[in-house]
């Protein structure tokens, strides 16, 4: 089965910003990584960030795409708690997609979108995503609304 990927939270501008950071200031990327956007599919999203990962003799910067989805109460793992309270969700580390910095810099936005779409479509076939893909509960719209409210509160 194929799913519609929504790219509005990772535009060509976001892509260009990430490439500029990787090209011009990758040494300054924060230790915990830096978020650049996400791709949404029903109640699943893939966060896109630049982060330091172990490789060979040390660490290097990679572009990672990690999936998040609403927490299944039956899950043995504790849910990750987003900064918006009441919106816990699981991760599926084995379903992450990783690009080496040099590989990512060689991509155009369109090529990246095509490559990521193919990889994500394959990952979404895994059983761990079944519940989050079975229905669209407007999870991310509720998340965005709570985040807007929180940011509005912080800006007052």
């Amino acid at each position: 089965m194929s799913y519609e990927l929504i790219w509005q939270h990772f535009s060509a501008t976001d892509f260009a910003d990430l490439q500029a950071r990787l090209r011009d200031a990758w040494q300054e990327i924060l230790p915990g990584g830096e978020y650049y956007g996400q791709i949404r599919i029903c109640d699943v999203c893939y966060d896109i960030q630049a982060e330091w990962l172990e490789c060979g003799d040390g660490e290097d910067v990679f572009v990672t795409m990690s999936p998040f989805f609403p927490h299944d109460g039956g899950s043995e793992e504790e849910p990750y708690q987003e900064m918006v309270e009441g919106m816990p969700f699981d991760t599926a580390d084995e379903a992450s997609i990783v690009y080496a910095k040099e590989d990512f810099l060689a991509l155009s936005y369109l090529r990246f979108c095509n490559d990521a779409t193919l990889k994500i479509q394959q990952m979404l076939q895994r059983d761990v995503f079944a519940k989050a893909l079975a229905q669209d509960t407007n999870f991310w719209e509720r998340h965005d609304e709570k985040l807007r409210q929180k940011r509005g509160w912080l800006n007052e």
Side-chain angles (χ1 to χ4, degrees):
M1 179 173 209
S2 183
Y3 298 94
E4 177 186 0
L5 277 63
I6 301 169
W7 287 87
Q8 73 184 32
H9 300 280
F10 190 71
S11 67
T13 300
D14 298 323
F15 178 84
D17 289 345
L18 176 51
Q19 280 194 324
R21 180 74 163 158
L22 292 174
R23 189 175 41 256
D24 303 331
W26 64 271
Q27 301 94 332
E28 299 169 16
I29 290 176
L30 299 173
E34 296 177 7
Y35 171 86
Y36 282 87
Q38 62 183 218
I39 302 163
R40 295 179 178 184
I41 313 101
C42 298
D43 281 356
V44 176
C45 87
Y46 266 82
D47 277 357
I48 301 168
Q49 63 179 38
E51 62 181 311
W52 292 93
L53 298 177
E54 294 286 331
C55 71
D57 295 334
E59 285 187 329
D60 200 358
V61 172
F62 291 83
V63 173
T64 62
M65 299 174 62
S66 300
F68 297 92
F69 47 96
H71 183 64
D72 180 354
S75 174
E76 293 180 18
E77 289 187 27
E78 286 293 315
Y80 172 78
Q81 183 65 48
E82 176 57 272
M83 87 178 198
V84 177
E85 284 188 41
M87 298 297 241
F89 47 83
D90 288 322
T91 63
D93 293 332
E94 69 282 356
S96 292
I97 299 166
V98 178
Y99 291 93
K101 176 180 55 164
E102 296 77 17
D103 294 339
F104 189 82
L105 286 171
L107 294 171
S108 67
Y109 179 65
L110 184 57
R111 176 86 186 244
F112 169 73
C113 291
N114 289 336
D115 186 68
T117 296
L118 289 173
K119 290 177 179 178
I120 290 171
Q121 291 290 357
Q122 289 175 339
M123 296 292 184
L124 293 176
Q125 303 308 311
R126 296 182 179 190
D127 290 341
V128 70
F129 295 113
K131 185 175 180 183
L133 294 169
Q135 59 184 347
D136 190 348
T137 65
N138 292 319
F139 178 83
W140 295 108
E141 287 76 9
R142 293 192 323 269
H143 176 275
D144 289 350
E145 180 55 32
K146 286 192 177 190
L147 193 57
R148 279 191 293 274
Q149 290 172 5
K150 184 173 183 114
R151 286 181 177 160
W153 176 76
L154 290 174
N155 291 334
E156 291 182 8

